[in-house]
Amino acid sequence: MNGTEGTARRISAEVVCTAIRDDIVGGYFPPGSRLTEELLAQRYGVSRVPVREALRTLESEGFVRTRKHAGASVAEPTEQEAADLLDIRGLLEPLGTARAAQRRTDAHLKVLRGLVRLGQERAVQGQLSDLPSLSGWFHETLAQASGSPTLAALLIQLRHKISWVYADAGSARAAEAWEEHAAIVDAVARGDAERARRLAAVHVEHAAAVRTLKHRVNAVRRRN
């Protein structure tokens, strides 16, 4: 295999991994459903090789479980695992936001301010369908502004898993959430790491208070 073929294969596996993850998070593949290489290859129009690589990646991320003789299936998070996601966010997001206040670039700040403006406009106008994607973009940009690729990757993966396990409750506090986003960006722009950390912690706490589980299975502890 030459270098070009190897690169194409890696890119294909990454694309397939993203597609499968999006389908899991979006509910196309519910918890517990089987994921056969043949079915996935047909769905995404690829060979089994990138599918196999994608499933290994998704297993390492916790979206997929593989059992001997049973193959791969969508993971079924327990009640404790679901709660842990919010606890971990409460620890990592304030850290990332504090780092962003110290390391952000002007480009990061420009994007964050633009997203806050759009989010506030949509919230006031009642265009709530746009808010989940805007919020996701906001938090991913904030994570990248931390200047730590490892921390940013953890935060982005964590947001995917929270979106998978919990129903979006943005409409319940849309205006409030975007006011909190605005205050966080202001602290980041000023380079006030401690204030940014505190505001992020409050934001995460408020968001967690209105979260509800998507699937009934999530509220049942897994039997060994």
Side-chain angles (χ1 to χ4, degrees), residues 31 67 86 175 221:
R67 292 189 179 92
L86 300 183
R221 292 185 181 278

Side-chain angles (χ1 to χ4, degrees), residues 55 71 109 136 148 194 214 218:
L55 288 175
L109 198 57
S148 169
E194 282 308 308
K214 275 185 180 179
N218 292 339

Side-chain angles (χ1 to χ4, degrees), residues 55-105:
L55 288 175
R56 283 198 292 265
T57 298
L58 292 168
E59 184 175 18
S60 73
E61 294 177 355
F63 289 99
V64 170
R65 295 185 71 198
T66 302
R67 292 189 179 92
K68 191 174 182 179
H69 306 306
S73 62
V74 179
E76 300 175 82
T78 65
E79 182 180 15
Q80 185 59 61
E81 288 168 341
D84 286 347
L85 293 175
L86 300 183
D87 289 342
I88 294 168
R89 183 188 179 195
L91 294 172
L92 293 185
E93 194 159 305
L95 172 62
T97 305
R99 293 278 179 86
Q102 298 167 328
R103 302 175 179 176
R104 57 83 180 167
T105 65

Side-chain angles (χ1 to χ4, degrees), residues 16-17 25 28 35 56 83 97 99 109 138 140-141 158 170 177 182 195 204 206-207 224:
V16 173
C17 183
V25 172
Y28 183 85
L35 298 170
R56 283 198 292 265
T97 305
R99 293 278 179 86
L109 198 57
F138 174 87
E140 288 193 17
T141 303
L158 186 61
R195 179 169 171 76
V204 170
H206 287 172
N224 295 324

Side-chain angles (χ1 to χ4, degrees), residues 162-210:
I162 289 174
S163 296
W164 169 42
V165 173
Y166 290 93
D168 180 68
S171 60
R173 56 185 302 274
E176 179 185 357
W178 283 97
E179 286 299 323
E180 291 169 1
H181 288 163
I184 288 170
V185 172
D186 182 65
V188 168
R190 294 171 182 271
D192 190 337
E194 282 308 308
R195 179 169 171 76
R197 184 195 301 270
R198 289 195 303 272
L199 290 171
V202 170
H203 176 65
V204 170
E205 183 179 351
H206 287 172
V210 295

